[in-house]
Structure formats: C-alpha cells, structure tokens
C-alpha cells in the first residue's frame, strides 16, 4: 500500500475514533495488554534479532540499552496500559460554559488533535506507549521507529493493530513506517497529519522543524541539571545526584551537569565522587572543582552536551543566581532540580529556571509521564505551545467551541434588539 493511501486511511479512521466511547477504548487497551503478554516470547525473539544485528553494526551502547525489550520491559508497558485504562477519558470534557444570552450557550470542549505522526529511535517501548496514549485520547497515529528496532516494532505494531481490530476500533487507525524515504514523504503530508512529535538528536529534530509545514512538538536535547545549594543536606544531595545520573543513564531526564555552591562544595564533592566512582561515572569539572577533587578538565562543550552515558560535568558556582544563569544559558529547558533546605531559594530557583520541569529535593528522573500519573508519555516537550513537559493524554488534545442556540441571529445584537450577557455557568455540554 502506498504511504499516501495509508495516511488517508489513518485520517479516515481518526474521525471515527474521535467519537469512540470510553468503554470501547478501554476494552481495546485491555486487549492490547493481554496480547502483549500472550505473545511475549515472539516479541523477545524479534528483539534479540534486532540486538544481535545492532551489536554487529556497532550501535552505540546507550542506544543498545534503549533497544533492549525484555520481559521486564514488556511488563512495564503493560503496567502503563493498565494505568491508562484507569484514567478518566480526556475527550469531551467541558472546559467552561458561558451563557451568551438567554437560550444561547457557548461551550469549550476537549477533542482529539486528529492524526499524530511520531518519529522515534531505538526504544520499542515508546511504540507501545505512544500508540496506547493516542488510542485513549482518540487520535490516529503514524509511527516511524529506528531501523535498529525494525523486527520488534513490526511485531508490536501488528499485535496492537490486531488487538484493536478485535475490540472494534476503526481499522487503519495505526500505521508503521519503516524507511527514511517514508519520513521525508510524511513531512509533506499536512493534509493528513495534524502534529509531528520527533524523538531524537538535536540535529534530527531541527531537520524535522525545517522541512515540514506540519506543527512540531518535542525536544531536541535533555541537558538536565542538579544544583546543590549552600543550604543542602550532604546525604540527601549525594543520594539525589547519584539517582539523577545513574538510575538509567541513556534517557533524556538523566542529569548531565552538576552545579554546586562554593560554600558546600568542599564537603559534598568528595562524597559525590566516592559514590559515583562506585558507579564508574567519568567526571569532568571546572578549575574550582579540580581544586577539590581529582577530575578531568571540563571544556565549554561539556556544558552543552547530553552524554546519555556514565559521564557527568561539574561546576562550582558562587551563588544561586550564577546557577540559574548557567542553566538558562546551557540547559535545554527539560528538567532541573535544586537540592536545598532553604524554601526561599527553592522558590527563586523554581520561578526563574526556564524549563518545563523544575524540582525541589528530588531526582530529575521523576520527569516522566508514567511517574506523573499520565499513564505514559509520547515524549517531552520543551516547546512553549499548548503542551509542555511530559506529554500525556492532555497534550494530545485540543478543543472545540460549541454553541447551542434557539433561532438566535447576530442581526438582533447588531441592531441592539438583544444584548449579550456573558454569564459564566457551571454546566457540561449536553450532547
């Protein structure tokens, strides 16, 4: 089937899916969860083939780690689906109601965006998370995964399509693309695709933005920071930094740069080095850092780098203002955390750091749709558009203005026979 024909089918199916009942969508999600567990051996076998081929092709270690899709990860995505089922249906919710005049009511009501095009690398779990979020929010989806995961992506897309067909979801709502040529063609399909969410390198995301008229939502880099304030507890700071850096290094919410107040640096940096040495994390630092602990020198480029590996850059700063300036200069607007017992400093940091996620006394790794209770996420948005941070169900919705009248005409108001009242009402859309 030609890609344009597939896109047409997704668009057509998305119109029907937008009106699907909550019960139908939840039944379909349950079918997907069951099918994933029933066919887990097939999935693991396909993934092993992808891993073997990618190792032979010398795929980078962080990407290999993202590519692995074993039984534990299958159980994780199934848990995510079950969590998604429990969430309230976001479609058809009345945001507000205004009585324009007697018998003339305006409603702002949530609705699906339409067709979402998602381009991602390496992570097969992303395919499941994205497609199930799109299903729950009533959107059709066109997916382009990395070639390194082609066998895993194929079987996952087949399982999801078969399970939802069986449940009664409109056929064709999900489509898997496989070639680079498909991506270039996809970028021109503004008549079918309403939003593109790219997940990849900075260069890749910029390419997507520069080569499509379709709105693009996403983030290029995940350059996240932890800042240890002068009023931080040493034991808490070490615990949070180690988790932020090493709990899972190959993800966009892992900390890449550590900022430390000069007054606490002599106490905390030796403890952090000791803990990170045990995790085999390579450290680079500014001259002030090098005076306190033995680390390699950090270059200007380090402050701009998303390592996605066991490496951390460290800078000692004079005060919280220097830390905030550094983050707003070198950060990617993703996730940044302050570790402090000073409430005023925490408030200052959280108000002035220009990122989609700002934390106080916790790991940057909490920046995640599943952990936020969104069910899962289609990605992280650092854009300042309708959705920012982890993009879950709400980020896949837009709204319609619906007006119900009773023979009302504008001419009556133009001639001042009638006047607008504009009274806010607590009422849901009745249809």
């Amino acid at each position: 089937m030609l890609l344009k024909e597939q896109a047409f089918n997704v668009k057509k199916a998305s119109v029907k899916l937008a009106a699907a009942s909550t019960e139908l969508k939840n039944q379909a999600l349950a079918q997907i969860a069951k099918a994933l567990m029933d066919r887990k051996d097939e999935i693991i076998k396909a993934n092993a083939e992808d891993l073997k081929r990618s190792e032979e092709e010398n795929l980078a270690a962080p990407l290999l780690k993202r590519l692995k899709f074993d039984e534990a990860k299958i159980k994780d995505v199934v848990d995510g689906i079950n969590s998604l089922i429990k969430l309230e249906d976001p479609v058809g919710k009345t945001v507000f109601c205004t009585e324009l005049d007697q018998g003339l009511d305006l409603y702002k009501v949530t609705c699906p965006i339409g067709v979402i095009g998602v381009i991602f690398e390496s992570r097969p779990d992303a395919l499941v998370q994205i497609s199930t979020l799109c299903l729950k929010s009533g959107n059709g989806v066109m997916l382009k995964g990395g070639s390194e995961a082609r066998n895993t992506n194929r079987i996952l897309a087949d399982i999801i399509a078969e399970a939802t067909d069986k449940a009664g979801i409109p056929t064709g709502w999900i489509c898997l693309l496989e070639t680079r040529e498909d991506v270039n063609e996809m970028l021109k399909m503004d008549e079918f695709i309403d939003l593109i969410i790219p997940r990849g390198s900075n260069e890749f995301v910029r390419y997507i933005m520069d080569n499509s008229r379709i709105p693009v939502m996403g983030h290029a880099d995940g350059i996240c920071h932890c800042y240890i304030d002068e009023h931080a507890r040493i034991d808490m700071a070490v615990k949070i930094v180690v988790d932020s850096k090493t709990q899972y290094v190959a993800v966009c919410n892992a900390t890449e740069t550590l900022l430390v107040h000069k007054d606490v640096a002599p106490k905390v940096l030796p403890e952090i080095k000791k803990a990170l040495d045990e995790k085999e994390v390579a450290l680079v630092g500014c001259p002030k850092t090098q005076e306190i602990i033995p680390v390699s020198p950090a270059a200007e480029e380090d402050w701009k780098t998303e390592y996605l590996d066991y490496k951390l850059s460290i800078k000692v700063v004079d005060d919280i203002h220097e830390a905030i300036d550094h983050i707003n200069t070198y950060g990617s607007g993703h996730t940044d955390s302050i570790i402090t017992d000073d409430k005023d400093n925490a408030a200052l940091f959280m108000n002035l750091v220009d990122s989609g996620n700002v934390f106080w006394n916790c790991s940057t790794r909490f920046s995640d749709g599943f952990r936020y209770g969104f069910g899962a996420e289609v990605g992280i948005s650092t854009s300042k558009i309708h959705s920012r941070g982890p993009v879950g169900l709400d980020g896949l919705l837009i709204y319609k203005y619906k007006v119900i009248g009773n023979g009302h005409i504008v001419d009556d108001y133009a001639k001042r026979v009638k006047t607008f009242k504009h009274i806010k009402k607590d009422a849901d859309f009745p249809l």
Side-chain angles (χ1 to χ4, degrees):
M1 188 184 298
L2 295 175
L3 184 57
K4 191 169 184 178
E5 187 179 348
Q6 289 178 299
F8 174 82
N9 289 340
V10 176
K11 185 71 173 179
K12 185 177 179 181
S14 73
V15 175
K16 297 178 181 178
L17 182 57
S21 69
T22 303
E23 182 182 11
L24 175 59
K25 291 186 288 188
N26 285 342
Q27 286 175 353
L29 289 167
Q31 287 273 15
I32 293 171
K34 181 178 184 301
L36 289 171
M37 293 306 298
D38 289 346
R39 298 178 64 180
K40 67 178 187 293
D41 291 341
E42 295 174 59
I43 298 169
I44 293 169
K45 181 181 177 183
N47 186 245
E49 293 170 0
D50 286 333
L51 284 167
K52 183 175 183 295
R53 184 187 64 257
S54 296
E55 287 172 356
E56 292 171 351
E57 294 173 355
N58 297 315
L59 187 70
L63 293 179
L64 278 173
K65 191 166 185 178
R66 289 184 175 192
L67 175 59
K68 188 175 182 181
F69 197 59
D70 54 14
E71 185 167 357
K73 284 194 176 181
I74 295 172
K75 288 180 179 177
D76 284 344
V77 297
V78 168
D79 286 345
I81 294 170
N82 290 330
S83 174
L84 193 56
I85 291 170
K86 295 174 185 176
L87 293 179
E88 186 177 12
D89 193 333
V91 179
K93 299 299 178 185
T94 300
V95 179
F96 67 71
C97 173
T98 301
E99 182 183 324
L100 304 181
D101 193 7
Q102 185 174 0
L104 183 65
D105 293 326
L106 166 70
Y107 299 85
K108 183 179 182 180
V109 182
T110 60
C111 63
I113 290 173
V115 176
I116 313 294
V118 187
I119 309 167
F120 59 98
E121 295 176 346
S122 298
R123 292 176 53 183
D125 52 332
L127 185 148
V128 181
Q129 292 171 350
I130 292 163
S131 58
T132 52
L133 279 169
C134 286
L135 174 59
K136 180 85 175 193
S137 58
N139 291 286
V141 63
M142 298 182 71
L143 299 153
K144 170 61 176 73
S147 59
E148 65 278 359
R150 59 177 175 263
N151 292 324
T152 317
N153 288 340
R154 281 174 190 166
I155 190 167
L156 290 174
D158 286 346
I159 288 171
I160 292 168
E162 289 174 15
T164 53
D165 277 353
K166 189 180 296 184
I169 295 296
T171 300
W173 74 278
I174 181 172
C175 168
L176 180 67
L177 290 66
E178 296 197 337
T179 69
R180 289 185 179 181
E181 291 73 22
D182 286 344
V183 173
N184 289 328
E185 191 173 349
M186 178 185 187
L187 299 182
K188 301 171 186 175
M189 293 184 171
D190 50 299
E191 61 185 306
F192 301 120
I193 301 172
D194 299 289
L195 178 69
I196 288 183
I197 304 176
R199 295 171 57 155
S201 67
N202 192 341
E203 182 181 5
F204 174 71
V205 174
R206 293 296 175 196
Y207 174 83
I208 299 297
M209 291 177 173
D210 292 342
N211 288 275
S212 183
R213 291 182 298 188
I214 304 168
V216 177
M217 179 173 68
H219 77 281
D221 288 325
I223 302 174
C224 304
H225 301 76
C226 280
Y227 166 58
I228 302 176
D229 185 53
E230 59 185 312
H231 302 290
R233 279 173 272 164
I234 303 299
D235 56 344
M236 177 190 286
V238 173
K239 184 178 180 181
I240 290 173
V241 170
V242 171
D243 187 83
S244 295
K245 178 68 255 183
T246 69
Q247 196 277 328
Y248 187 26
V249 298
V251 284
C252 59
N253 59 13
T255 288
E256 305 293 18
T257 295
L258 171 64
L259 304 172
V260 186
H261 192 285
K262 65 179 181 179
D263 291 347
V264 78
K267 299 175 184 176
V268 74
L269 284 180
E271 296 298 320
I272 285 175
K273 177 169 170 50
K274 180 181 177 182
L276 292 179
D277 281 349
E278 293 177 2
K279 301 284 188 177
E280 299 183 348
V281 178
L283 302 177
V284 297
C286 68
K288 290 180 181 179
T289 302
Q290 291 178 286
E291 292 174 5
I292 301 170
I293 56 174
V295 296
S296 300
E300 174 75 9
E301 194 63 28
D302 284 301
W303 313 127
K304 308 172 186 177
T305 301
E306 182 183 25
Y307 299 120
L308 297 174
D309 206 347
Y310 287 90
K311 186 175 181 180
L312 179 71
S313 58
I314 305 174
K315 182 177 183 180
V316 175
V317 296
D318 288 339
D319 54 33
I320 188 172
H321 298 285
E322 185 181 350
I324 292 168
D325 287 345
H326 180 98
I327 292 169
N328 287 340
T329 300
Y330 295 101
S332 58
H334 194 298
T335 303
D336 303 289
S337 181
I338 181 173
I339 305 161
T340 185
D341 282 342
D342 188 296
K343 184 177 180 181
D344 291 338
N345 279 0
L348 183 69
F349 182 93
M350 298 181 88
N351 287 333
L352 295 187
V353 168
D354 189 18
S355 295
N357 306 273
V358 284
F359 296 168
W360 177 19
N361 286 345
C362 59
S363 169
T364 59
R365 289 282 289 116
F366 281 106
S367 176
D368 174 84
F370 177 71
R371 296 186 181 102
Y372 280 10
F374 297 170
E377 67 186 40
V378 295
I380 300 280
S381 173
T382 55
S383 305
K384 295 181 181 179
I385 52 174
H386 81 285
S387 186
R388 196 180 190 196
V391 181
L393 289 175
D394 289 347
L396 296 176
L397 298 174
I398 194 65
Y399 51 83
K400 294 179 180 179
Y401 289 106
K402 300 183 177 183
V403 177
I404 298 178
N406 187 22
H408 292 75
I409 59 174
V410 168
D411 198 48
D412 286 341
Y413 299 88
K415 293 178 178 177
R416 303 192 181 278
V417 175
K418 295 181 178 180
T419 57
F420 290 110
K421 294 182 174 59
H422 293 144
I423 300 170
K424 295 297 182 184
K425 295 173 61 177
D426 184 14
D428 290 330
F429 187 68
L431 302 181

